[in-house]
Amino acid sequence: MNRPNKDEYYLEIAKAVSKRSPCIRRRYGAIIVVNDAIVSTGYNGPARGVINCIEVGCIKNILKLPHGKAYDYCPAVHAEENTVVNAARNGSKISNGILYIYGEDAETGEEVEATPCNRCKRILINAGVEKVVIKTKEGFKILDVKSWIREDTESYLGLLEEVKKTEK
């Protein structure tokens, strides 16, 4: 018997969650685990009640915009965001939890690395999630959420310096 380890197990569940995504470009599924129990799931898609791109088409496809950019054109709530929101809607504690996220190309079904965007990173920091585990071609990667605090701070300070230089 080839029993998967916990990270593989939870990533497979996140993969199953991704199948609910109505996105015609990329499907993502996420779960949050606290004390070895799944407390929330979510996938990328529009807010509840908002029309799905699968029904009417994708603005980003029409405009030939790249993946991972131009989020203002997309009505989707990211899988990470939906997982945090769903936990809040149901009163589930996610502090000190681990978020598992899986992504795939909706057309080809090929796995894509599901690294959270900056907006999702900030949400996960504020929600108190400790680690994020993503699927990669090599298996999986564990991301330390606390390291994002330092990275975000350094990025902001660098940007602030650049702005100050242009004002002089």
Side-chain angles (χ1 to χ4, degrees):
M1 181 174 153
N2 189 12
R3 186 173 186 221
N5 68 37
K6 292 285 178 121
D7 290 328
E8 294 165 333
Y9 167 70
Y10 287 128
L11 282 168
E12 281 299 312
I13 294 170
K15 180 178 181 178
V17 171
S18 76
K19 302 302 183 193
R20 287 282 305 149
S21 171
C23 182
I24 58 179
R25 289 169 57 107
R26 297 269 170 100
R27 287 189 290 261
Y28 294 96
I31 65 171
I32 295 178
V33 175
V34 177
N35 295 327
D36 207 23
I38 299 169
V39 296
S40 187
T41 68
Y43 52 85
N44 61 314
R48 296 172 198 271
V50 176
I51 197 161
N52 290 312
C53 295
I54 201 168
E55 299 169 316
V56 296
C58 175
I59 291 173
K60 287 177 70 170
N61 274 354
I62 293 166
L63 295 174
K64 296 179 176 48
L65 297 172
H67 295 290
K69 305 271 188 221
Y71 293 128
D72 290 346
Y73 290 98
C74 181
V77 179
H78 292 183
E80 305 95 317
E81 294 170 315
N82 268 327
T83 307
V84 171
V85 168
N86 289 337
R89 285 174 63 97
N90 293 300
S92 298
K93 176 188 172 293
I94 61 172
S95 184
N96 302 317
I98 302 170
L99 181 126
Y100 291 84
I101 185 163
Y102 172 86
E104 68 181 25
D105 185 287
E107 290 180 22
T108 67
E110 290 181 37
E111 290 178 359
V112 295
E113 198 166 296
T115 305
C117 71
N118 287 335
R119 181 178 77 197
C120 288
K121 285 179 178 181
R122 292 176 187 132
I123 287 168
L124 296 170
I125 290 167
N126 280 357
V129 171
E130 285 190 348
K131 294 189 289 187
V132 173
V133 181
I134 62 173
K135 187 83 167 105
T136 67
K137 290 179 180 168
E138 294 78 35
F140 59 89
K141 186 187 319 181
I142 300 172
L143 307 172
D144 177 24
V145 173
K146 287 184 179 149
S147 70
W148 296 343
I149 296 168
R150 181 181 23 79
E151 291 168 11
D152 209 31
T153 299
E154 290 171 359
S155 176
Y156 182 75
L157 291 174
L159 181 61
L160 187 60
E161 259 324 291
E162 290 300 314
V163 169
K164 286 180 180 178
K165 285 180 188 175
T166 60
E167 286 184 339
K168 291 180 182 180

